[in-house]
Amino acid sequence: MANAERRCIACRGTAAKQEMLRLIVDDEGVIWPDLTQKLPGRGVYLCMQAECLAALNDRRLQPLKAKFRVNLPQWPELKERMLCILEKQLSQMFARLRVKTEIGRDAVMHRLWNNAPFMLLIAADAGSAVVRQIEDAVEKREQAGQHTLVVQVESRLWLGEKLGREAVAVAGMDVAGSMASNAGKLVKFCSWYGQLKAIG
């Protein structure tokens, strides 16, 4: 049942449950995100697609009242809890992966000439010259049949903080073998975090 699908509480679309965010309601009627999908109790799922999050509000959370004793309104607070938990999870993941991460344009460009699957993290405010150089290298890798996963992150300061530096425009890491699972989660959580931040 690992690939079981769930229906999004907000937009009613379906997706594999591991690609969605599980929400649980505590005894006080407060909604909490469950990133690991392991907290006790019954849960509901949120698809975390940008369009769904942009339209999310307390009215869309009303169906929770059919299953739980939930206090509404609480969407603004729930969004903050989601951001906080994602920020904490991402900080922990980056701390574990830091030793396996190439940091900075020169290190990343050197690594891009290897054949293994690679994940690139590019800050949204990275300079256009750096972005162009990286995009050209990624395109050449793709033409040679080498897979590169590109993820945009919030800012150079944000990425630098996660990697123990002052500011980082670009970083990357191998995603072959045992790193594939970590990379998948990192991409998903970075995407969710970015989409939540984007809705203001």
Side-chain angles (χ1 to χ4, degrees):
M1 290 297 285
N3 293 322
E5 289 200 336
R6 296 290 184 270
R7 187 174 298 278
C8 176
I9 188 70
C11 70
R12 309 304 295 159
T14 59
K17 78 174 195 173
Q18 65 268 27
E19 296 306 317
M20 302 176 84
L21 175 63
R22 183 176 185 247
L23 302 174
I24 61 164
V25 180
D26 69 15
D27 294 340
E28 306 298 317
V30 177
I31 308 168
W32 290 93
D34 173 17
L35 287 184
T36 63
Q37 299 189 357
K38 293 179 181 174
L39 292 176
R42 292 174 58 205
V44 294
Y45 290 80
L46 192 59
C47 74
M48 300 298 287
Q49 297 298 313
E51 309 79 35
C52 183
L53 289 173
L56 199 53
N57 54 36
D58 284 296
R59 185 181 59 76
R60 295 236 177 167
L61 294 173
Q62 284 288 338
L64 284 168
K65 287 194 163 194
K67 294 183 177 186
F68 308 100
R69 287 182 52 217
V70 60
N71 300 324
L72 293 174
Q74 65 173 291
W75 166 236
E77 294 83 5
L78 172 58
K79 187 182 97 169
E80 287 307 311
R81 285 191 288 275
M82 291 161 70
L83 280 168
C84 183
I85 285 173
L86 282 165
E87 176 79 33
K88 183 177 178 182
Q89 180 68 34
L90 284 165
S91 293
Q92 291 171 353
M93 292 180 80
F94 274 107
R96 286 194 307 267
L97 297 172
R98 195 177 295 164
V99 296
K100 299 179 180 181
T101 303
E102 304 291 346
I103 299 172
R105 181 187 61 184
D106 292 345
V108 166
M109 289 299 294
H110 179 74
R111 178 57 196 76
L112 280 172
W113 298 117
N114 293 352
N115 294 331
F118 196 66
M119 178 170 67
L120 273 171
L121 301 156
I122 302 178
D125 58 353
S128 58
V130 172
V131 172
R132 239 186 346 265
Q133 190 176 14
I134 296 292
E135 285 176 346
D136 287 347
V138 168
E139 186 177 335
K140 287 175 183 164
R141 275 177 58 89
E142 294 295 329
Q143 289 169 357
Q146 299 159 0
H147 182 61
T148 310
L149 184 60
V150 181
V151 182
Q152 187 176 64
V153 298
E154 184 177 345
S155 68
R156 291 179 300 132
L157 287 175
W158 186 89
L159 187 55
E161 177 190 304
K162 296 292 173 278
L163 294 170
R165 303 287 179 94
E166 191 171 311
V168 174
V170 62
M173 62 189 76
D174 288 326
V175 293
S178 62
M179 286 294 292
S181 174
N182 287 323
K185 288 178 185 172
L186 191 66
V187 169
K188 179 170 66 176
F189 295 155
C190 281
S191 172
W192 290 358
Y193 184 84
Q195 285 163 187
L196 277 167
K197 292 287 278 189
I199 63 177

